[in-house]
């Protein structure tokens, strides 16, 4: 199907990609989702009418999604607040799966340019807004610098999620000698600067993890220092920035390293408490929802203030659904990573999609180890993009024989 025939699904998809990173935009996001599903449904119906054959829906990883949803559904029996957990189950599992499968069915052969161009355009707007606020000496939310309608935590998570896509776009533009090859490195640097001005320390760690994934992916080919030395220089620079951010955040009380810092800001105590309480009944949790912790222990001293949840993506799932639910969540991610890796031999595009997908998987995991922003719009964006990468690999595999 050519681009003209795909215009309405792709136009709706562009609106969705522009709306997804922003907080407080649920109405626009849901409208874009409805338009996207409607346009995709119309496109599938036209293909059916033209060929007489019903085009199959592509539902990757559906057994893992089903297991995750089933465990969350069973968890309603033990939920502290069943109504809240039912709502969170719909928003965090059913909607996430919908976005994932929407991306997997929306993108077809040749749509990779649309995907990358839309991501770059939306990213340019958000980063330019952030840097303009920073230059003017202002703040966007709670006295900190995020972006339009979005706080530091969600914005830095968004940047970590899209950065591998931006690097992919820059690489392709350079390989194909497109005019944009001179501009895209500037956009990458602007994103790194935006991460710096958010003062989010874990985002720096996540970018370093993404670079390590790239280094590991190409390790067999990096036999000369000129190949891997630039990556090590960037990693050293990130380490320096991280240390500077830690010292700035902790001030005169910066001794003791990262563990001491986690103790002082309350994360390590809340992790120890949450894991200990969850393992008292490992077979089940307190119900789906990021704020399950405060609902289970509303009067506990550790859960007061900012610790309405455990500030760790995995600890939160353990609290919500017990060990089986945590295992299902981890298995879903592992299955995604394996699916991306397994299809890397379908051609250059599939190999590049595998690298980008593995990088964002690792980056999002690293980013959410000291907090949990893998909910709502940030989770939807991740799953939508993951679905598009699997679709690109599938299309590449259909059009070219696997490479040995």
């Amino acid at each position: 199907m050519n681009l003209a025939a795909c215009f309405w699904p792709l136009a709706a998809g562009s609106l969705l990609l522009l709306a997804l990173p922003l907080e407080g935009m649920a109405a626009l996001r849901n409208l874009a989702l409805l338009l996207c599903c409607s346009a995709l449904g119309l496109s599938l119906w036209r293909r059916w009418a033209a060929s007489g054959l019903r085009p199959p829906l592509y539902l990757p990883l559906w057994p893992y999604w089903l297991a995750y949803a089933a465990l969350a559904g069973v968890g309603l029996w033990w939920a502290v607040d069943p109504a809240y957990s039912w709502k969170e189950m719909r928003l965090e599992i059913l909607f996430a799966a919908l976005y994932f499968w929407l991306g997997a069915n929306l993108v077809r052969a040749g749509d990779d340019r649309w995907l990358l161009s839309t991501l770059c355009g939306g990213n340019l707007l958000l980063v330019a807004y952030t840097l303009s606020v920073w230059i003017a000496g202002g703040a966007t939310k709670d006295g900190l610098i995020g972006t339009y309608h979005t706080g530091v935590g969600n914005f830095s998570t968004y940047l970590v999620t899209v950065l591998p896509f931006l690097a992919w776009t820059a690489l392709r533009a350079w390989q194909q000698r497109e005019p944009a090859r001179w501009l895209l490195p500037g956009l990458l640097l602007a994103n790194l600067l935006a991460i710096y001005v958010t003062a989010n320390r874990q985002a720096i760690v996540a970018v370093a993890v993404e670079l390590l994934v790239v280094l590991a992916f190409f390790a067999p080919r990096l036999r000369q220092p000129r190949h891997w030395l630039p990556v090590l220089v960037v990693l050293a620079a990130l380490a320096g920035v991280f240390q500077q951010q830690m010292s700035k955040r902790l001030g005169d009380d910066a001794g003791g390293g990262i563990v001491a810092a986690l103790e002082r800001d309350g994360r390590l105590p809340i992790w120890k408490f949450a894991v200990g309480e969850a393992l008292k009944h490992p077979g089940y949790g307190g119900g789906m929802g990021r704020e399950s912790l405060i609902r289970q222990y509303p009067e506990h001293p550790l859960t007061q203030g900012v610790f309405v949840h455990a500030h760790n993506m995995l600890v939160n799932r353990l609290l919500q659904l017990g060990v089986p639910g945590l295992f299902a969540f981890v298995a879903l991610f592992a299955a995604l990573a394996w699916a991306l890796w397994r299809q890397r031999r379908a051609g250059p595009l599939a190999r590049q999609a595998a690298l980008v997908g593995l990088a964002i998987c690792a980056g999002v995991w690293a980013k959410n180890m000291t907090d949990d922003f893998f909910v709502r719009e940030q989770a939807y964006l991740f799953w939508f993009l993951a679905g598009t990468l699997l679709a690109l690999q599938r299309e590449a595999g259909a059009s070219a024989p696997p490479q040995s």
Side-chain angles (χ1 to χ4, degrees), residues 262-296:
L262 292 172
E263 285 277 7
R264 283 191 289 270
D265 71 11
R267 282 177 170 82
L268 199 55
I270 201 69
W271 294 344
K272 292 177 180 178
F273 168 74
V275 171
E277 291 297 310
L279 293 181
K280 290 179 180 178
H281 41 81
Y284 62 93
M288 190 70 193
R290 185 171 63 168
E291 297 182 5
S292 179
L293 175 66
I294 190 64
R295 283 172 162 75
Q296 293 181 63

Side-chain angles (χ1 to χ4, degrees), residues 314-367:
L314 300 182
V315 177
N316 273 340
R317 268 60 183 189
L318 178 62
L319 275 167
Q320 295 166 30
L321 302 176
V323 173
L326 174 61
F327 179 80
F329 180 72
V330 173
L332 177 60
F333 262 90
L336 171 62
W338 173 245
L340 289 164
W341 176 256
R342 185 185 58 199
Q343 299 183 77
R344 72 191 186 283
R345 297 185 182 276
L349 179 60
R351 188 162 54 251
Q352 293 167 7
L355 175 56
V356 171
L358 292 172
I360 65 170
C361 284
V364 165
W365 266 63
K367 177 65 174 66

Side-chain angles (χ1 to χ4, degrees), residues 165-214:
F165 284 90
L166 303 182
W168 185 18
T169 310
L171 176 64
R172 290 181 55 166
W174 191 261
Q175 289 175 336
Q176 298 171 12
R177 305 187 65 81
E178 297 176 354
R181 70 184 186 277
W182 303 109
L183 302 176
L184 289 170
L187 182 59
L188 280 171
L189 291 175
N191 273 260
L192 294 175
L193 181 58
I195 288 176
Y196 173 78
V197 304
T198 63
N200 188 278
R201 296 160 292 177
Q202 196 64 16
I204 299 171
V205 175
V207 173
V209 169
E210 291 178 338
L211 278 173
L212 288 173
V213 170
V214 173

Side-chain angles (χ1 to χ4, degrees), residues 51-114:
S51 65
L53 299 174
R54 185 174 64 183
L57 287 174
Y58 180 40
L59 302 177
L61 310 185
W62 68 265
Y64 297 90
W65 282 106
L66 181 60
Y68 188 28
L71 286 169
V74 172
L76 293 174
W77 289 100
W78 298 284
V80 176
D81 186 344
Y84 167 75
S85 294
W86 168 242
K87 183 192 75 171
E88 292 298 299
M89 178 184 167
R90 288 183 287 116
L91 293 175
E92 300 303 335
I93 300 181
L94 302 183
F95 265 72
L98 175 61
Y99 278 98
F100 180 58
W101 290 327
L102 178 63
N105 288 277
L106 183 71
V107 171
R108 309 196 69 213
D111 291 343
D112 48 306
R113 183 178 294 273
W114 156 80

Side-chain angles (χ1 to χ4, degrees), residues 1-14 39 43 46 106 111 114:
M1 184 179 294
N2 58 33
L3 184 61
C6 292
F7 174 77
W8 289 114
L10 294 182
S14 296
S43 174
R46 286 177 173 174
L106 183 71
D111 291 343
W114 156 80

